[in-house]
Amino acid sequence: MVTTRDNYRVLIVPGLHGSGPEHWQSRWEAQHADFERVHQDDWSIPDLPRWSWKLEQTLAQSDRPTLIVAHSFGCLTTIHANRHGRFNIAGALLVAPADPDKFHVANALRDVRLSCPSVVVGSTNDPWMNAARASYWADVWGCGFLNAGALGHINAESGLGDWEQGWQQFERLRDITDTLAHPRHLSVLR
């Protein structure tokens, strides 16, 4: 099958404190020189409009289809930045989203639906949002949902290293976007 993987821009969207060097997002970025990271002015202040604006500015720098790999408050940022649907987002992996109610931004995110293939990955013992709430928000946003089990906040403290399960989800997402971009290849999958 012909693949379009080189045609995608992969954008890392961290949560609070920017995903340090042992976070799986940073590890993936270190292993893939073409992955880019959204940079916030202040990683310690979760300001949805400002963070979304920075993501929008980063998305506007390229018209290539973008695969987003977001974590925690970065998931909320991704959803909020996509509220107008004006960017070429091909797919989104939304891992351990922070609970919008905890940050008083639920109203800003309640009516946003992603129009691209997307999956929310939740954890049964995530202190920022348990799997049941993550599943609820996945449905609100029009995303698939994967319960990854008891992985905490799915961050560096979870001791996941390169987080192979997450990489497999990313690969699946990329395969789906490839298939949708080239529907003639659907017969190969049957």
Side-chain angles (χ1 to χ4, degrees), residues 82-184:
N82 192 57
R83 67 196 179 283
H84 302 298
R86 64 178 176 233
F87 299 106
N88 193 1
I89 299 174
L93 179 65
L94 306 170
V95 179
D99 193 328
D101 288 323
K102 286 186 180 184
F103 290 96
H104 310 291
V105 295
N107 288 338
L109 301 173
R110 195 168 311 283
D111 296 326
V112 182
R113 292 185 65 83
L114 291 178
S115 58
C116 61
S118 52
V119 63
V120 169
V121 179
S123 166
T124 57
N125 62 342
D126 186 343
W128 289 95
M129 181 157 60
N130 68 40
R133 290 279 301 155
S135 177
Y136 163 80
W137 280 103
D139 187 53
V140 168
W141 299 327
C143 304
F145 177 73
L146 173 69
N147 183 335
L151 296 180
H153 193 45
I154 313 179
N155 57 6
E157 286 76 29
S158 299
L160 301 171
D162 294 339
W163 191 38
E164 185 60 32
Q165 179 188 28
W167 184 255
Q168 290 169 0
Q169 287 303 311
F170 175 75
E171 287 285 304
R172 280 190 197 111
L173 179 68
R174 194 158 58 177
D175 288 346
I176 290 168
T177 57
D178 283 347
T179 300
L180 292 174
H182 294 86
R184 68 182 180 271

Side-chain angles (χ1 to χ4, degrees), residues 65-80:
T66 301
L67 294 173
I68 291 185
V69 178
H71 181 260
S72 193
F73 198 80
C75 298
L76 307 186
T77 301
T78 298
I79 297 296
H80 192 255

Side-chain angles (χ1 to χ4, degrees), residues 35-86:
F35 282 23
E36 300 173 53
R37 177 181 290 245
V38 174
H39 294 280
Q40 298 296 339
D41 293 329
D42 189 340
W43 287 110
S44 64
I45 300 174
D47 183 324
L48 189 61
R50 282 182 192 240
W51 282 38
S52 295
W53 182 82
K54 289 293 271 190
L55 174 55
E56 290 171 16
Q57 295 300 307
T58 304
L59 285 165
Q61 293 172 1
S62 173
D63 60 356
R64 288 174 57 205
T66 301
L67 294 173
I68 291 185
V69 178
H71 181 260
S72 193
F73 198 80
C75 298
L76 307 186
T77 301
T78 298
I79 297 296
H80 192 255
N82 192 57
R83 67 196 179 283
H84 302 298
R86 64 178 176 233

